Amino acid sequence: MQVVIVGAGEVGTSVAADLAPNHDVAIVDIDETRIEDIRYDIDVLSIVGDGTDSAVLTEAGAVESDIVIASTDDDKTNLVTCGTAQTIGDMFTISRVKNHKYQETWERNETAFDVDFLICSNLKTAETIVNVIGLPSAVDVRGFAGGLVQMAEFDIPAESQIAGQTVAAADRFDSVTFAALFRDRELVLPQGSTSICPGDRAVVIGSPGSVQQFAQFLAPTATPGETDEIVIIGGGEIGYHTARLLEARDLSPKIIERDEHRARELAEDLPETLVVNNEPTDTEFLRREQVDEADVLVTALDSDENNMLVSMLGKHTGADRVISLVDRPDYAQLFEQIGIDVAVSPRDVTAEEIIRFTREKVALNIAVVENGEAEVLELELDADSDFVGQTVREIDESIDTHAVFGAVGRDGDLVIPRGNTVLQPGDNVVLFVESDSVDQIIATG
């Protein structure tokens, strides 16, 4: 597959690095320094130039390409890039935008902007935050098989009842599969005899109800309800969408916004949200507003430094759970090391969504875990699939890689795969796979 990526920032570079080992990739950016950095790090064709210029796109091979991805930090540049690409070739175009108004226009008419697939990074990030809020103690949550299956990542605290137990002893939930453990950032593929240690990060796959039970077992707190205090620091686009999505779940959050005009706009647009106009780094104000009693604190300010400061203040004053935006993905681990419960990177969220649409099977759903070390895949099996008619055990023995079958969606029902489960045409199979083996599994399945 030939792919042209316009924009060599964090998102474009992440997508290029994922695709480069198995596809012909060209990346274009107007910044020569970025292009020079990529030339040393990734085996792709790298070109300095303006992606809205048809001559530059032609030089990058867009005329013969299968996909053109516009991932700069400027919405209008991305939309014009896709429109320009469509004038010189017949490819699938993907545009990243931040302003949700472009997405609303595109959803009303998907021929708008000459974009085949549009990703609003702010909205997608807010959805990720709300999913994490809805599952106590989770650090990441993704849905598969039309909502029938859920993948979630959990940190195992020392006081957890399953810390020190084997996977077999901890596997007490009807519809949950332990897909993986990450220990000191190293992948452990669990067997029944594998011990679960304090500090491990567990990846589980199962029905939403069973994953919810597992979450409550790890940290016995109820799913957020009407009486819970959810505070959002920062009323920008991500803070706004987070509050709006929480309102849709019958929750009533609080937003603290420093700009008076913006605060007034939010109060008008969010009828179930309490909007407070104040400087969010004022410790005395945070105490007066009872942020120390917050069940969930979300920091959604305009810089990593501000989010880190307010998150630490929130933790210091007593907030139970802190979720913070982090613009630079390489800061995510630092945020968690200083005690912030969950760090959400809009750039990572966006890159993952783009990667999902650049796989060879469009029906595929993907979640990238642990900074790209592994992926959770959803494959829709057709009659020609090599997996059809085989048991899970036979597939495990035949493939030259480690894969964990987490769940199967079949005719609207959830099947928890065992060794003797026979896969059928039409099954939606959710697997945990090391990233190096993804293309092999896709080609086989």
Side-chain angles (χ1 to χ4, degrees):
M1 182 168 66
Q2 285 187 259
V3 182
V4 175
I5 301 169
V6 176
E10 295 281 356
V11 174
T13 301
S14 178
V15 174
D18 183 89
L19 297 178
N22 299 293
H23 304 286
D24 294 327
V25 178
I27 191 162
V28 177
D29 198 286
I30 203 165
D31 187 329
E32 187 172 356
T33 302
R34 286 181 177 177
I35 291 297
E36 283 298 323
D37 290 342
I38 284 175
R39 283 174 180 158
Y40 286 105
D41 296 335
I42 309 174
D43 184 18
V44 296
L45 173 64
S46 49
I47 295 172
V48 178
D50 182 353
T52 65
D53 184 336
S54 60
V56 173
L57 289 177
T58 299
E59 181 186 357
V63 176
E64 303 84 17
S65 69
D66 299 286
I67 299 175
V68 169
I69 301 166
S71 64
T72 76
D73 281 332
D74 183 77
D75 290 358
K76 292 180 180 178
T77 297
N78 292 335
L79 296 175
V80 172
T81 295
C82 289
T84 303
Q86 294 283 17
T87 68
I88 64 172
D90 181 22
M91 72 290 288
F92 191 89
T93 56
I94 299 174
S95 177
R96 164 199 180 195
V97 296
K98 296 178 182 178
N99 191 328
H100 73 284
K101 294 186 185 301
Y102 291 122
Q103 175 144 3
E104 289 174 357
T105 299
W106 180 77
E107 286 176 346
R108 286 196 297 269
N109 182 355
E110 292 189 1
T111 63
F113 312 123
D114 285 323
V115 173
D116 294 307
F117 183 63
L118 189 144
I119 302 164
C120 179
S121 55
N122 289 335
L123 179 56
K124 201 70 189 174
T125 302
E127 290 172 352
T128 300
I129 292 169
V130 171
N131 286 338
V132 170
I133 289 173
L135 200 60
S137 72
V139 297
D140 195 10
V141 185
R142 304 298 166 93
F144 294 87
L148 197 63
V149 178
Q150 204 169 56
M151 181 281 293
E153 294 182 65
F154 299 93
D155 286 332
I156 308 298
E159 63 273 16
S160 168
Q161 297 181 58
I162 69 171
Q165 293 186 357
T166 63
V167 168
D171 189 6
R172 64 195 71 179
F173 303 93
D174 291 339
S175 303
V176 168
T177 298
F178 281 83
L181 297 172
F182 286 91
R183 181 172 300 156
D184 298 325
R185 307 194 69 79
E186 295 292 326
L187 172 62
V188 177
L189 291 172
Q191 306 295 320
S193 59
T194 303
S195 294
I196 301 171
C197 300
D200 282 356
R201 177 163 290 185
V203 180
V204 302
I205 299 171
S207 70
S210 290
V211 172
Q212 182 77 46
Q213 290 175 356
F214 181 79
Q216 292 175 343
F217 182 77
L218 278 184
T221 56
T223 301
E226 294 180 2
T227 60
D228 284 340
E229 184 80 6
I230 302 173
V231 179
I232 302 166
I233 308 291
E237 282 285 296
I238 293 175
Y240 161 74
H241 285 300
T242 300
R244 182 176 61 80
L245 294 171
L246 288 170
E247 285 189 350
R249 297 191 180 196
D250 296 323
L251 298 171
S252 299
K254 176 191 295 183
I255 290 182
I256 298 173
E257 166 58 38
R258 61 161 63 97
D259 182 85
E260 184 178 355
H261 177 70
R262 178 60 175 170
R264 191 176 298 113
E265 288 181 338
L266 293 169
E268 292 173 356
D269 292 342
L270 298 167
E272 302 302 322
T273 299
L274 174 63
V275 180
V276 181
N277 173 220
N278 205 90
E279 170 56 51
T281 59
D282 183 340
T283 307
E284 288 305 315
F285 164 77
L286 293 177
R287 287 198 176 94
R288 286 199 307 274
E289 287 298 317
Q290 299 178 317
V291 171
D292 56 326
E293 298 179 10
D295 299 286
V296 180
L297 175 68
V298 178
T299 62
L301 295 168
D302 54 4
S303 75
D304 288 345
E305 291 75 17
N306 287 337
N307 282 323
M308 183 179 292
L309 172 62
V310 176
S311 293
M312 293 175 67
L313 285 174
K315 271 293 186 184
H316 179 71
T317 57
D320 282 349
R321 192 169 182 224
V322 177
I323 301 170
S324 180
L325 288 185
V326 51
D327 194 52
R328 289 182 53 178
D330 54 327
Y331 276 16
Q333 186 179 357
L334 172 62
F335 271 52
E336 293 178 2
Q337 284 176 344
I338 63 174
I340 295 166
D341 298 290
V342 183
V344 177
S345 165
R347 297 176 187 272
D348 275 353
V349 169
T350 306
E352 182 177 326
E353 187 71 358
I354 292 173
I355 290 167
R356 185 169 75 87
F357 270 81
T358 56
R359 295 297 186 188
E360 291 175 300
K361 291 190 176 181
V362 176
L364 191 66
N365 194 358
I366 295 176
V368 180
V369 297
E370 290 302 297
N371 297 317
E373 292 185 36
E375 298 182 18
V376 178
L377 312 178
E378 178 185 344
L379 297 176
E380 185 175 11
L381 304 186
D382 58 30
D384 297 327
S385 169
D386 291 346
F387 288 170
V388 167
Q390 294 197 68
T391 65
V392 168
R393 184 178 296 108
E394 289 170 340
I395 296 169
D396 278 338
E397 292 171 352
S398 66
I399 58 178
D400 185 26
T401 186
H402 294 292
V404 177
F405 285 77
V408 176
R410 178 177 295 165
D411 297 326
D413 294 323
L414 176 66
V415 176
I416 298 302
R418 304 303 181 200
N420 61 355
T421 301
V422 179
L423 299 183
Q424 301 177 8
D427 283 352
N428 284 68
V429 181
V430 181
L431 309 95
F432 178 93
V433 187
E434 292 180 81
S435 292
D436 292 345
S437 304
V438 167
D439 286 290
Q440 177 188 345
I441 292 294
I442 290 173
T444 306

